[in-house]
Amino acid sequence: MTNRYAIIENGLVANVVVADAEFAAQNGWIACPDAGPGWKYDGAAFTEPDPVVIEAAPAPTKEQLLAQLNALSAQIQALE
């Protein structure tokens, strides 16, 4: 029977593979029904990675947009 196994590198799940138990044991892979790449492994348990927080850049102000428009308009006029 095949199961999911984690390939651990430096305490992190580097990859998850499907293999039979004997082959996984020969390679030192750890059974992991739920873990995935990026999860932490402390030798006994898997822990989900910290969530990635993506902060959106602030929207440009009206003044910044007008300055960009003026700069582009000047470049267009220089081409004519």
Side-chain angles (χ1 to χ4, degrees), residues 11-14 16 34-41 45-53:
L12 294 176
V13 177
V16 174
D34 298 327
W39 283 48
K40 300 171 189 171
Y41 183 68
F46 292 95
T47 307
E48 289 185 67
D50 297 329
V52 176
V53 178

Side-chain angles (χ1 to χ4, degrees), residues 7-18:
I7 299 172
I8 309 297
E9 294 178 1
N10 301 317
L12 294 176
V13 177
N15 204 349
V16 174
V17 296
V18 175

